[in-house]
Amino acid sequence: MRIATWNVNSIRTRVDRVTDWLARADVDVLAMQETKCKDSQFPTMPFAALGYEIAHVGLSQWNGVAIASRVGLEDVQIGFDGAPSWQDVAEARAIGATCGGVRVWSLYVPNGRTLADPHYPYKLEWLAALRDAATSWTGPVALVGDWNIAPTDEDVWDPAVFEDSTHVSAPERAAFQAILDAGYSDVVRPFTPGPGVYTYWDYTQLRFPKRQGMRIDFILGSPDFAQRVTHAEIVREERKGKAPSDHAPVLVELT
């Protein structure tokens, strides 16, 4: 089975690119983030034409997460227990479903914005709640998506540029590590060692051709999931071409 995650940065803008890649890459399950649409606006038909079922939650032109599966889509859950709200709104940042016997969670972790912004403690609270919830989940579980955290200095093109910024702060990295300590592992990194291996490149200042990126998209697997991983890759080529997302897909193969 082939499972992937991709921050698509607007599914309505990039549905043709996404479905074309799904067909070429022979992906069974794709978790998407930043779909940027309401449920009624999600372009379901192009996925259905390829044999995929869709689970999606989106409230507006911001956020939004989805799972596309051609191996079953069962026990769909929007949000996880204990997830905090932002200004009394439960944002569209997490959706889980069982696909071919694997519990897949598509996650779009809050950005944090700046260290002084109210979104920063919200991000840390959200990650702590995810850790608490994920600790109780059993079987093959994959926590996949855009984590908005670069866990190590080698995960950014120049640590000095990000000094005193979100994504690299000690509390954020500790929150990411807490999920690893809860029993999950980064199943992609052993196949794609760094430094210089990224999943995101800002649109500005020619960051992509200059190879000035960040590694912030991850697939974290429970022990039952991790032991089945036989291959993983970051599909950098999908950051190229006309109107790409600013993120590349991340893909794993399971026995």
Side-chain angles (χ1 to χ4, degrees):
M1 184 159 64
R2 293 165 68 85
I3 298 175
T5 182
W6 196 356
N7 179 321
V8 295
N9 193 12
S10 177
I11 188 58
R12 288 178 291 173
T13 300
R14 298 184 172 83
V15 61
D16 291 341
R17 284 195 64 133
V18 172
T19 53
D20 176 68
W21 180 72
L22 279 177
R24 287 186 287 108
D26 195 28
V27 172
D28 295 299
V29 182
L30 175 65
M32 291 169 274
Q33 302 84 43
E34 225 176 339
T35 57
K36 293 185 176 180
C37 65
K38 299 178 182 178
D39 291 349
S40 61
Q41 298 171 317
F42 192 96
T44 302
M45 293 307 296
F47 290 90
L50 293 176
Y52 292 89
E53 298 177 85
I54 295 290
H56 175 259
V57 57
L59 306 177
S60 65
Q61 73 273 28
W62 310 111
N63 308 323
V65 285
I67 299 172
S69 173
R70 64 181 186 184
V71 292
L73 194 65
E74 302 174 345
D75 301 323
V76 174
Q77 180 179 341
I78 295 172
F80 50 85
D81 293 343
S85 297
W86 171 249
Q87 296 182 340
D88 297 325
V89 175
E91 294 189 304
R93 292 188 175 276
I95 190 168
T98 301
C99 308
V102 175
R103 189 67 176 169
V104 178
W105 279 92
S106 180
L107 305 170
Y108 182 40
V109 175
N111 182 286
R113 301 179 181 174
T114 72
L115 299 183
D117 193 281
H119 239 243
Y120 181 73
Y122 165 58
K123 177 180 188 174
L124 297 177
E125 184 182 359
W126 197 95
L127 286 162
L130 174 62
R131 176 205 60 213
D132 291 346
T135 299
S136 66
W137 296 338
T138 59
V141 180
L143 310 179
V144 313
D146 178 357
W147 292 76
N148 274 314
I149 298 171
T152 73
D153 282 352
E154 75 174 23
D155 296 326
V156 295
W157 64 274
D158 184 353
V161 171
F162 297 92
E163 189 173 357
D164 298 323
S165 299
T166 59
H167 294 59
V168 301
S169 71
E172 290 167 284
R173 288 179 168 179
F176 188 91
Q177 183 62 44
I179 294 173
L180 300 181
D181 293 342
Y184 290 82
S185 59
D186 181 348
V187 299
V188 177
R189 194 180 295 269
F191 296 89
T192 60
V197 179
Y198 307 128
T199 65
Y200 163 84
W201 301 261
D202 193 276
Y203 289 127
T204 64
Q205 301 182 52
L206 299 175
R207 295 296 191 204
F208 182 69
K210 292 179 180 178
R211 298 182 176 271
Q212 296 175 345
M214 304 177 71
R215 186 175 189 146
I216 58 175
D217 302 85
F218 296 93
I219 297 177
L220 304 188
S222 67
D224 287 342
F225 181 91
Q227 68 183 3
R228 293 176 54 186
V229 175
T230 59
H231 174 74
E233 62 184 282
I234 297 166
V235 191
R236 189 178 183 275
E237 290 298 306
E238 289 304 313
R239 179 59 175 79
K240 299 179 180 179
K242 183 179 179 180
S245 171
D246 43 5
H247 295 250
V250 181
L251 170 70
V252 296
E253 293 184 9
L254 307 183
T255 56

